Amino acid sequence: MKRKIGVLITHPIQYFQPVFEELSASCELSTKVFFGCKAGLEEFYDEEFGKVIKWDSAPTKGFRSTFISENSEINRLKGMQGIWLGIRAAQEIRKWRADSVLIFAYTPTFITAATIWLKLTGQKSLILRADATDGAFKRGALKRLGRSLILPLYYSLFSFVLPIGSESDIHFSKKGVKARRRKKVLFSSNTNFFEQKILEIKKVNGAEESRSKQIVAYIGKLSRRKGVQVLIDAIKGMASSEVKKIHLVIVGSGELENNIGEQLTGIRKLEFTMTGFKNQNEIADYYAMADTVVVPSVEGETWGLVVNEALQFGCRVIATKRVGASSDLLLTQPHVVVESDDAKAIRTALNEYYLKPADWMYNKKRYENLPKPSDLVNEVRKYLERKKKEMPELFLKL
């Protein structure tokens, strides 16, 4: 009889779809995903994008799923309402009789309540996949103390933890999760989706034309914590001779959109393009054209999937130390890691002139060295197989 693995997550997210699809394809596992709400599958308002969005890449395709709430508002997963929905999710998972439960994140209260209720009602095998780190956010002394007291207790509820990268692994180690109970698996984007997009771009574009300007791209939310203003300040500090060597492409929307447009218009000799928000099926074209992608986050970037996507498209990446992916994926040239909120450092890195190699689409290393959704699936399978041998009673049906 197949082992049952339930997956608990807040809402459909495009880059988790291939993980759930591959888990479901496993001949030894029966998988069902329990979503808190329909945000992403249906339209929802994203505060940092400042737009109502809906993912266009079929985020629930290829696996069985159910929705605890038919609503598409993520905020309803917070507070008291989140607690009740979390308890309901735990009850649905128990009713389905999952052998193990793979839980993504530990907030909002929906996730916390579901996890605690699962444990209280006898669920013995809980697996945590979370992007927790200590350095991504600036926290006061009181909040740091609270985390140091509460998180070790919460993490003790899980039999296995899958940190998203080195910074995350250090966090879990400091919070008391022993090495035998955790395995680092790097965060991955939907690599299969983007490889298909690259094949389409090959057919349409063919070989790149020669050019003299470096195409510099910022792809993401136009918010203060993402550091886009630092990138703008870096370009403002350039000499005219430096500005003439770049074409800046800003892909995204958010609170700073109008302000950034005004600032860029005022920079003499700067060629720039602002595209607004672009969905998953459109964004590949901008990675394909970019030479350098800048990820200038100043806070809250526990990983930064823009890094994965840029590397898949053969781009050079300039990122800050606040970006969790920096310590795992950007350790070699031509990539550059700088201090956060340092416009001068970004300017210096941009001036190390770099054009994407003409054969980037055909470079196998571009794809082979990337984290992939299968990495997480394989580690979950290994863990379940190990637990089956150590504690077969967990997987016997009543």
Side-chain angles (χ1 to χ4, degrees), residues 34 87 214 267 290:
F34 296 80
I87 291 173
Q214 177 187 191
I267 300 176

Side-chain angles (χ1 to χ4, degrees), residues 322-394:
R322 290 279 181 182
V323 178
S326 295
S327 58
D328 288 297
L329 299 183
L330 303 179
L331 299 178
T332 58
Q333 292 182 336
H335 313 299
V336 181
V337 179
V338 300
E339 295 291 341
S340 65
D341 209 9
D342 190 340
K344 185 177 179 180
I346 291 176
R347 173 194 171 187
T348 299
L350 287 173
N351 282 328
E352 294 173 357
Y353 193 69
Y354 178 84
L355 293 180
K356 182 184 292 184
D359 65 344
W360 70 268
M361 291 187 291
Y362 306 94
N363 184 345
K364 290 183 179 180
K365 289 183 179 180
R366 166 190 61 76
Y367 179 73
E368 290 173 353
N369 297 335
L370 283 173
K372 298 177 180 63
S374 57
D375 299 340
L376 178 59
V377 173
N378 290 336
E379 288 304 328
V380 170
R381 285 175 178 163
K382 288 177 187 177
Y383 165 75
L384 294 175
E385 190 60 38
R386 188 166 66 249
K387 295 306 291 183
K388 183 180 179 181
K389 292 177 181 177
E390 293 174 359
M391 303 178 69
E393 69 275 9
L394 286 181

Side-chain angles (χ1 to χ4, degrees), residues 174-219:
K174 287 181 177 179
K175 297 300 183 287
V177 182
K178 301 297 183 185
R180 67 179 182 276
R181 287 180 49 228
R182 68 179 201 273
K183 174 67 176 180
K184 179 178 71 174
V185 183
L186 301 186
F187 220 167
S188 68
S189 63
N190 192 337
T191 51
N192 294 335
F193 173 83
F194 282 117
E195 278 303 293
Q196 184 59 44
K197 287 294 177 184
I198 288 171
L199 288 175
E200 294 172 10
I201 291 167
K202 283 181 186 179
K203 291 178 183 177
V204 173
N205 294 355
E208 283 192 348
E209 297 180 4
S210 60
R211 50 191 169 78
S212 58
K213 283 185 179 284
Q214 177 187 191
I215 298 179
V216 177
Y218 171 90
I219 299 175

Side-chain angles (χ1 to χ4, degrees), residues 275-287:
T275 71
F277 173 80
K278 294 295 178 183
N279 217 315
Q280 290 298 288
N281 275 302
E282 304 171 291
I283 207 165
D285 290 331
Y286 298 97
Y287 283 115

Side-chain angles (χ1 to χ4, degrees), residues 146-187:
R147 283 166 58 86
S148 67
L149 295 174
I150 294 171
L151 288 181
L153 294 174
Y154 185 76
Y155 294 156
S156 70
L157 302 177
F158 296 90
S159 46
F160 200 51
V161 177
L162 294 158
I164 66 166
S166 296
E167 295 295 323
S168 182
D169 194 41
I170 291 169
H171 163 83
F172 285 110
S173 176
K174 287 181 177 179
K175 297 300 183 287
V177 182
K178 301 297 183 185
R180 67 179 182 276
R181 287 180 49 228
R182 68 179 201 273
K183 174 67 176 180
K184 179 178 71 174
V185 183
L186 301 186
F187 220 167

